Amino acid sequence: MNLPRFIQIHTLHNYPGALLNRDDAGLAKRLPYGDAVRTRISSQCLKRHWRVAEDHFSLASLGVPMAVRSRQTLDLIRKKLIETGLSEDLAQSAGEGLRDAGLLDKGGKESKGKEALATGQAVLMGSAEIDYLVKRCAELAQENTETKALKAAIAKFLQDKNEKKNIEALKHGSGLESALFGRMVTSDVLASRDAAVYVAHAFTVHEAQVENDYFTVVDDLQREAGELGSAGIFDTELASGLYYGYVVVDVPQLIANLEGETAKDWATLPSEKRELAGRVVQHLLHLIATVSPGAKRGSTAPFDWAKFMLVEVGDWQPRSLAGAFQNALPTDHAALRETAVQMLADEIGKLDDAYGATLDRRFLALDKVSVPNAQRLSLNDLATWVQAYITQGAAPAQVA
């Protein structure tokens, strides 16, 4: 077998006249790189859209429990406790008891009611974790029918060493999103989780192309009355560009996160322990290729499929191909897309000459392009090829 440790995914997406990702001032996000300022899409934005996409290859369709990212998770627990038959007062006290005992930060401690259960940060929690806490709080409420007594019992429960181990073990049930993109928590109880998928900020391969879009809103009733003018005058930024994206999948970490195994033992696990990881990456490739981020969707329709996708598998530590675009490509180039692919191919060739051709490659492309030591495939075949590599450790000759 030839099991890959890392899967590297490089993409080129083209978006004209869109506002894909905004900063705190509502402007298109930017990135200074090399000899020019570029437009960028943050990794958080990309991951969010991949997480919530609803299509045939959605993460939710894999049948693995998802997670909830919210500041209102304690209020969700309160509602679930009421559904079990607990009184509103006891359910509220249970939520406050979890908060005060260090389950989540105490963002709403000085407030009352629902707001008292709001945390300062949005925390990712899996369904298994939430259901376990609901079950234990409901059990404690049967034995402690006074609000103060229930809070004290919950505090004791969360401080118990065995219970802490139980909750820590539940990190493997903290949702598929957590298994992919990790979880960082400051909680005294919940466990952090290492990410298995690393996502870079996408950026334009050329200098930022941004314009200020001035627009007005017409008032229908005012127009019918024969009055001139508009109901509002506004402006926003629109950007166009060809974006380079880069994603790395740490296969041992992904298998460990999904199966509850130790990452160092991944290569000795039976194929059935790698089957889910293979399907997850298969779906992820489809999402990366076809799911678009984008603010102002209603007015810009910022949807695109990857014009180029290169997938590399191997054991060496990952390396981005962003260096191919350290010098921004001229935006007036007659074949910008093909030139960008050629720049990537040249960068690969230089790396192969310097370090050796250590990676197995396949690629998808709309244009007539070539990549060193790589075979061209359709998206379905590309995703199936990667899936087989993970589950079977297939050599190139075994999986075309």
Side-chain angles (χ1 to χ4, degrees), residues 344-346 348-349 352 361 370-374:
L344 288 173
D346 291 346
I348 289 171
D352 283 357
R361 303 184 180 105
S370 61
V371 177
N373 303 306

Side-chain angles (χ1 to χ4, degrees), residues 51 64-69 124-127 130 173-178:
R51 280 181 56 220
V64 180
M66 301 294 279
V68 175
R69 185 191 299 275
L124 190 70
M125 288 187 67
S127 301
I130 293 172
S174 57
L176 180 56
E177 302 97 325
S178 172

Side-chain angles (χ1 to χ4, degrees), residues 69 102-105 121-125 129 171 174 178 182-193:
R69 185 191 299 275
L103 176 70
L104 298 171
D105 72 71
Q121 295 179 328
V123 178
L124 190 70
M125 288 187 67
E129 292 174 312
K171 70 180 181 181
S174 57
S178 172
R183 178 176 73 178
M184 194 284 290
V185 292
T186 56
S187 164
D188 296 332
V189 181
L190 296 178
S192 294
R193 202 171 190 193

Side-chain angles (χ1 to χ4, degrees), residues 77-92 134 137-139 141-142 145:
I77 291 174
R78 177 189 69 83
K79 292 175 181 176
K80 286 180 173 288
L81 284 169
I82 292 174
E83 291 174 1
T84 68
L86 219 60
S87 70
E88 291 195 12
D89 285 346
L90 281 178
Q92 177 73 21
V134 169
C137 286
E139 292 171 351
Q142 298 298 319
T145 56

